[in-house]
Amino acid sequence: MTHTFVTIIASVPFARIDEIRTVLQAFGNPASDEISRRLNDSGLHFASLNIFEASAGDRGHLVLEFSGDGEAAALIAAVTQRMPAELTTAFAFADDRGDAALAAYLSSKTVPVGAGLLSNPGLCFSGTPGMSVGRIREEADLARRLTVILAAAGPKASGLEALTAARAAVAADADTAWALEPAAGGVAPNIGAGALNSVGLLGLIPPLLTTYFWPAAIPVVLALAGGAGWTLAKGAGPGADWPSLLWRALESAACCGFWALVVVALATVATIILGYGALRRQEASDVAVDRPAPPGDISRILQRENRIAQNHLAALSVIKGGVVRQLTLRLGFWVIGQFAARFYAPGFLGPLGTIHFARWVRVPGTRDLLFLSNFGGSWESYLEDFISQAHGGLTGVWSNTQGFPRANNLFLDGATDGDRFKWWARRQQTPTSFWYSAYPTLTTANIRLNARIRQGLAVILTEDEARAWLALFGSAPRPVAALETNEIQSLAFGGLGFLPEGTCLAVRFCDDGAAARAFLRALLPSIAFADGRYHGEGVFVGLAASGLRKLELPGDAFETLPPAFLDGMAAPWRSRILGDEGKDAPEHWRWGGSAADGAVDAALVLLAKDPASLAALIERVRANLGDHGCVEITAIPLAPQPVRAPEDHGYKPKYEPFGFVDGISQPVIRGTYKAIRGADPIHLVEPGEFILGYPDNLGTLPPTPLLAAIHDPDNHLATAHPPTDGWSRTDVNAPRDLGRNGTFLAIRQLRQDVEGFWAYCEAEAARLDGAFPDGMAVSAELIGAKIVWRWPDGSPLVRYPRWPASRSPTPAHALSRASDKDIVENAVGITAAPHSAPMGGAQRRGTHLAAAQTADFPPDNDFLLGGEDPQATRCPFGAHIRRSNPRESFDPGSQGQLAISNRHRILRVGRRYQPQAPGDEGILFMALNSDYERQFEFVQQTWLRGASFQGLSNEMDPLTAGDDGEGMTVPTRDGPLRLKAMPSFVTMVGGGYFFLPGKRTLEFLAAV
């Protein structure tokens, strides 16, 4: 089905314009009910009848224009049959009406348009291509009925269930059963999707040459013919050697044609240069009329606007004189037409899709240019959208008319001066006398939405598509980057400090896949999703590769799982990357290591609000394990988290065993609760850095585990790519996305030598006392801060180089972050922190922890290491946390370097574990990432264990790799100091790599 634009223009006496306008206005704007009833089955989308004052001043233009389905002759016949009296009355004013039949007369006054050299200049545009009046109305009615059907059906367990119920109701109604077949013409996309690039622009050259430069071929053809003809005429005669003569004729033609082509090319280039120069001179001398339309004129226009969902714009502007403007006007139309056809989505001009039907038409024999547009929404929003997003097209056409704001190079400036452009547009506008709309309540957005609803009803087969389809009813399709929080295990949103009690169970499934699935199925109601803020308890499930095998995940899925995950943390080559060698080697681990009795299939993290709730949760989970033949390898009780009280000023710190505030420097996932609360942009990362199925910091979708569609016959899993806009094809055969809303979890149980750490710090403080510049007193606390990069109370060395914030001149409880004054005073030094005297082991540990745990304010974390401490004289390059997240330290102040560093972030959600024996303190380190190798393993291998990190020499992370390095460099203003080689204060005792699936994947794995 094609749309046809018909524009009929008749000349009328100037003296009768007011009389004609009165006659036309009686027909209605919008059209009267009687006329609308007659036109409703005519195939017309829109029609208008108007009178314009010609620029010459002695005539008027009576213009009937309409857009409809089918051929022009049939539409003209339909209009004359349904409005015979009205059209007869209107066109009786025409100078040349004569005695011809009305339809024949109207056909004779039809004005075609085009952008070619010999065409009457103009352009037509349809915003709903391929959509008939009947289809638009039927789909609007269907959408209204479906809204009622879905409301009556109530909520369903899944999107597919809701869609199935809607289909059943539609099929049962004879008036709607047709909608179960997809539309023959498909669905126009909902958004503009240009493919504007250098290759596409080069594709414009051939049509440009054939449209505007074909006259240049005439002299070349004449030269070819002349050269050949002259040679043949000269050599023809009795006894002529025709083969030789013909060859000479071809040579002569080629020679003449070549030189003609050279001359024509030079002339064409010269003409273009001269024409461009003339255009620029005219643009430089153009005078814009800088005044608004008279208030009375605007009032008359407004009286006939905003009556229905659409509006009509009728305007007449006057084309500037001269050949150049005749050519550039056509060029403007041609460029818009080519871009609309080649680079924009059907029905859109760039990103804009509010036009139903619009046309530019020059009145033949005049310099009058008509613009007639049917658009959705208000005049103000219509013009403002074009000014802000598509002003080049408006300028390319209307800069060729008088009074338009001054343009630059035909397409630039001009309409960018929004206020003056709107003044100009109102001055050109004429109140529309008669106007008809076939669907007065619908905008183009409504029409496209209804079309997608109908198409989805007919073709959708997957859960993802069904959810997107349901969002069309009063909502909107989910943006690609918007998190489906209800599908994501709560642990992926942070440490869940509001559930302070916890334990971790390392378990092994039985070899019976059905029993393993039954265990997971029974566990599902206890698994917490979303950010967990309203949960009183929750279980979080991480599955090892062996666990997925026992759950009988189809084999082809394993080909798409990350190699690091499949290898496992205990694989020898992974151990080398992570530094798990010697005393940290997997054969020494308590669980998860290389020994068969330590291997685990799943890690279950159990969190609760109080000890009683946790005990009950553990009892239920253990009973479930026993019921399904699963084995608990080990239980790791977690130390209770500190609970925030009202006097904690909105912050309650937690401490790791060495006595330092933990969990301060964390990435913040865009779109989460923490991000919405105003996290500093330096910590923001895109969801795809941690949650599979979403764009990452590069704007791409990271690789995700896939499964062939044949293994998901119920279409429950997410598809590997988002639903197509309009569902022109279904995704039922697309691979399934096992990873969507999941993440990968690295768990490492790390025992910490607290006594050894503080003994080392005290010994080094005594050795280096007086060695720091400016008379800075050296304490064990300072040495520990240099190793870690923060003071025990959490205040950063970068801003508190002399003492922690808890002993700052500014009271700690009054601080939300370091003030500029406090930073300066701290850097210069007012008093010296006293050096701690040597102590015994128990006394040492208790004293340091008591001194550290005084912070009751949020530690400052919103700073750039390179920008504030480029020489590391405050926080050493080799400090543990500076290695873990160097920010922009490699290139001070560089946002690009910060973005690179953020590609390697991990999200830590671990906790201290409860010691099972004296000296067994430590943390259950848990880190989330979407790519082990780029994130967790990169940080461990390249930053923490990198012996030449940021120019250092044979130094590794002082906390986790002390045995392997030669001490630690501490830069000062007077030169570097060096801490002695230190023992390893952290020992690896268990761990593994686990996949934390999203809800739908868990349900799929648990299915019978």
Side-chain angles (χ1 to χ4, degrees), residues 67-102:
S67 311
D69 305 327
E71 300 296 326
L75 291 174
I76 292 173
V79 170
T80 55
Q81 289 169 8
R82 288 163 176 77
M83 294 182 63
E86 291 83 2
L87 295 180
T88 297
T89 301
F91 282 93
F93 292 99
D95 290 335
D96 57 353
R97 174 63 182 87
D99 297 329
L102 180 61

Side-chain angles (χ1 to χ4, degrees), residues 289-295 297-298 419-420 422-428:
V289 179
D290 192 5
R291 68 172 187 274
D297 290 353
I298 295 178
D419 290 335
R420 286 172 176 78
K422 285 187 279 190
W423 285 359
W424 179 89
R426 278 299 195 195
R427 290 199 311 272
Q428 315 306 304

Side-chain angles (χ1 to χ4, degrees), residues 436-793:
Y436 164 78
S437 170
Y439 29 86
T441 62
L442 303 177
T443 65
T444 52
N446 299 142
I447 292 169
R448 296 184 188 109
L449 178 69
N450 295 338
R452 292 199 304 281
I453 288 173
R454 181 263 183 92
Q455 187 78 356
L457 180 73
V459 306
I460 282 174
L461 294 172
T462 69
E463 177 66 16
D464 273 359
E465 293 171 320
R467 292 185 181 192
W469 183 78
L470 288 172
L472 299 178
F473 295 87
S475 181
R478 184 187 61 82
V480 174
L483 290 168
E484 295 175 318
T485 54
N486 291 337
E487 299 282 335
I488 302 169
Q489 292 194 51
S490 303
L491 195 63
F493 295 104
L496 307 181
F498 44 83
L499 298 177
E501 304 291 332
T503 195
C504 178
L505 303 181
V507 303
R508 184 182 302 138
F509 297 150
C510 68
D511 293 331
D512 180 359
R517 291 193 297 275
F519 163 75
L520 185 57
R521 195 159 56 249
L523 194 64
L524 275 174
S526 300
I527 301 175
F529 299 93
D531 71 359
R533 200 162 304 279
Y534 304 106
H535 301 316
E537 63 182 33
V539 176
F540 307 100
V541 179
L543 298 170
S546 60
L548 291 176
R549 290 189 179 94
K550 288 184 178 180
L551 289 167
E552 297 182 342
L553 178 68
D556 59 351
F558 286 88
E559 298 175 4
T560 63
L561 284 162
F565 172 74
L566 294 175
D567 293 341
M569 187 180 287
W573 46 96
R574 297 292 167 192
S575 294
R576 288 196 298 273
I577 290 172
L578 299 174
D580 293 337
E581 298 177 301
K583 66 180 178 60
D584 293 320
E587 57 264 27
H588 303 308
W589 297 357
R590 299 173 186 171
W591 63 277
S594 54
D597 59 352
V600 300
D601 296 324
L604 309 180
V605 180
L606 284 60
L607 302 179
K609 62 182 179 180
D610 53 52
S613 298
L614 177 63
L617 180 59
I618 293 173
E619 183 180 354
R620 293 200 308 273
V621 172
R622 282 176 170 162
N624 185 18
L625 287 168
D627 291 343
H628 298 96
C630 301
V631 178
E632 179 182 311
I633 300 298
T634 190
I636 308 168
L638 304 177
Q641 294 276 84
V643 180
R644 190 178 69 193
E647 63 270 17
D648 291 328
H649 307 287
Y651 173 74
K652 185 68 175 180
K654 63 176 182 177
Y655 296 86
E656 52 76 51
F658 289 138
F660 291 81
V661 173
D662 195 18
I664 295 172
S665 182
Q666 289 271 56
V668 179
I669 301 173
R670 192 181 301 278
T672 60
Y673 177 77
K674 292 179 181 179
I676 294 171
R677 294 185 66 188
D680 193 293
I682 67 174
H683 308 302
L684 283 177
V685 296
E686 296 302 323
E689 295 295 324
F690 297 100
I691 312 296
L692 298 175
Y694 300 91
D696 59 18
N697 281 4
L698 298 180
T700 60
L701 290 173
T704 183
L706 301 177
L707 182 70
I710 194 173
H711 300 303
D712 183 27
D714 295 328
N715 301 308
H716 185 74
L717 288 172
T719 52
H721 49 77
T724 56
D725 187 23
W727 300 288
S728 55
R729 60 176 175 81
T730 180
D731 290 340
V732 67
N733 294 319
R736 300 298 190 257
D737 187 351
L738 280 171
R740 183 166 186 81
N741 294 315
T743 183
F744 290 103
L745 171 67
I747 298 181
R748 292 170 73 80
Q749 187 177 359
L750 303 172
R751 185 175 65 238
Q752 296 176 234
D753 181 4
V754 177
E755 300 290 337
F757 175 80
W758 285 112
Y760 173 87
C761 291
E762 288 174 359
E764 285 299 279
R767 183 177 70 86
L768 296 173
D769 192 20
F772 278 76
D774 300 327
M776 178 185 290
V778 182
S779 65
E781 203 175 359
L782 175 64
I783 299 299
K786 292 289 185 179
I787 291 173
V788 175
W789 96 318
R790 289 185 185 272
W791 295 95
D793 69 359

